Amino acid sequence: MTETGAAMTGTGTGSTTETGAGAGAGSTTETGATMTRTEVAQAVATARVAATAWSRLSPADRAGHMLRVRRKLIDRMDDVVATIVSETGKVATEAVVNEVLVTCELIGWYARHAPRLLRSERVGTGLLAHKSAEKRYEPLGVVGVISPWNYPLVLAMGPVATALFAGNAVVLKPSEITPRVGLLVGELFSSMDEHPGIVQVVTGGSETGDALVRSGADKIAFTGSVRTGKAVMRAAADTLTPVLLELGGKDPLIVCGDADIDRAARAAVWGAFTNCGQTCMATERVYVVEKVYQAFVDRVVELTARVRQGAGSGYDIGAVTHRGQLSIIDRHLADAVERGAVVASGGKPVDVGGRPSLEPTVLLEVDHSMAVMRDETFGPILPIMKVRDEQEALELANDSPYGLNASVFGRDRATVERLVSGLRSGNVCVNDVMVSYAIPALPFGGAKESGMGRSHGAEGLREFTQIKSIARDRFGLHHEPQWLPLPPKLGSVIKIAMRLRYADRPWHRLHSQGDHK
């Protein structure tokens, strides 16, 4: 996510929303007024009551409930998609594929696997063979989710659903830019016959977000900018509330000298321009080995010219969602051109359904002195830089405070593997872009300033649990060797045992130190 936005919102600045607020999942008003700290506290209290019964369900029963919620989402898909399009300006196909479909797949995966992943696990006890040990994954209680505006359904439902599968209740604060999608999420749960209170929705901007972080929730899951993520951490530190942070990215794409140029070019164009570039793992910078640079550029420019931008059906991409984000995009473009970048395609402002936006833009002759190569742009700009070889591409790709996602295109397995291993990134796609997020079993998260913790997969589910470690005595002995009073020669016996167990030449060491006597 970008740096637009006040602390705790997870969103950007811009015009106020027109509809949508709610004290709870089933209680809404007609305006997007900021909710008070008292109202947020009440939502958390309501969720905590609902969490009691929900947490007592078996993981299989919770999975059944979540599948029924998924069916309700499908029943209301047209309404959900229309609301996403209305609030974000993206095209309907993007809303269907990148939001509804990905959400449904994630729910399905956890429904199949959460019962196994949450099962208690026996662990070995080492020397303590007279003991048994296990670890359990227990619900935290109430999880606060602060979600962004760029993918208002999937980036809300992802953490909401995962926390629910783990046995928690949730308080969701959607972006103030897209509150109605968040309210629809709440309605999916509040309209269920059973457990209607497990998802509460609170609306507003930074004040609401800050109130949620300080509300006593047992964990906060935040998706947004680095700056706001740090603010969330500072606020959460006062109560030692744990946080899950998915923050910004400046994702590189490396094109090796032996890459499939057509596939790499198509991937770069989609990775840079889908959702009008407003994706945390969008392709925001490309490094191309010089021997294939011109062929790659020619193909990218050709493909970019074919991208259909507009509102309604028949278009590939929509608009920049709000003016606050567009100002950052314009600033990056102007800075790059002033410093010598060449606009190879696009670069002009355009109106998309009444929203000011920017054409899909390809920049050449770029370098790391430019903001467009250093800072998250979050818009439809694709800067392409020529490099000597793959090693220089790797060094430049790592020359960033971000580390959310990266892509490598090449045929030689050894070279590709060297690049994959060398990239300081939480996710890497090989001969592909952005696809890792759509694989529910694959944990997703960032390195460096791109966040902490993981969503998806076993790791993502267990992010929302408390691990309880349990050790049991097996035989009921009257006295343990280490209990008081200590046996007189316990230390000597333990030393002998340690040398027998750990020394390279145990018998030699015993003899040389006299412990055999």
Side-chain angles (χ1 to χ4, degrees), residues 339-363:
R339 293 175 183 272
V342 175
V343 178
S345 182
K348 297 178 182 178
V350 61
D351 181 275
V352 180
R355 295 175 187 262
S357 194
L358 179 73
E359 294 178 326
T361 300
V362 178
L363 292 180

Side-chain angles (χ1 to χ4, degrees), residues 79-144:
D79 185 23
V80 170
V81 169
T83 304
I84 293 171
V85 170
S86 172
E87 289 198 310
T88 66
K90 68 178 66 182
V91 297
T93 301
E94 288 181 326
V96 171
V97 175
N98 299 336
E99 302 236 40
V100 180
L101 174 60
V102 175
T103 296
C104 290
E105 280 296 298
L106 183 68
I107 291 173
W109 192 87
Y110 276 132
R112 293 190 300 274
H113 297 284
R116 173 181 58 83
L117 295 174
L118 295 174
R119 192 178 302 149
S120 296
E121 297 179 27
R122 295 285 296 271
V123 298
T125 56
L127 283 176
L128 303 180
H130 57 302
K131 310 294 180 185
S132 65
E134 67 176 286
K135 54 183 177 180
R136 293 179 181 173
Y137 301 97
E138 299 184 344
L140 296 169
V142 175
V143 173

Side-chain angles (χ1 to χ4, degrees), residues 88 90 94 98 150-151 273-279 316-319:
T88 66
K90 68 178 66 182
E94 288 181 326
N98 299 336
N150 59 321
Y151 288 92
F273 301 138
T274 189
N275 202 35
C276 210
Q278 299 164 118
T279 305
D316 301 311
I317 65 172

Side-chain angles (χ1 to χ4, degrees), residues 395-452:
E395 293 170 0
L396 289 168
N398 285 333
D399 181 23
S400 172
Y402 298 104
L404 185 58
N405 185 66
S407 295
V408 177
F409 282 79
R411 290 187 171 94
D412 181 72
R413 291 187 178 182
T415 300
V416 169
E417 180 56 34
R418 177 172 60 83
L419 294 172
V420 169
S421 299
L423 283 162
R424 296 180 61 198
S425 177
N427 311 275
V428 180
C429 297
V430 176
N431 293 320
D432 216 327
V433 288
M434 299 200 300
V435 70
S436 55
Y437 191 84
I439 302 174
L442 197 60
F444 179 84
K448 299 187 282 187
E449 290 194 2
S450 286
M452 60 180 62

Side-chain angles (χ1 to χ4, degrees), residues 352-373:
V352 180
R355 295 175 187 262
S357 194
L358 179 73
E359 294 178 326
T361 300
V362 178
L363 292 180
L364 309 178
E365 303 299 328
V366 293
D367 59 51
H368 279 218
S369 71
M370 302 171 184
V372 77
M373 295 295 284

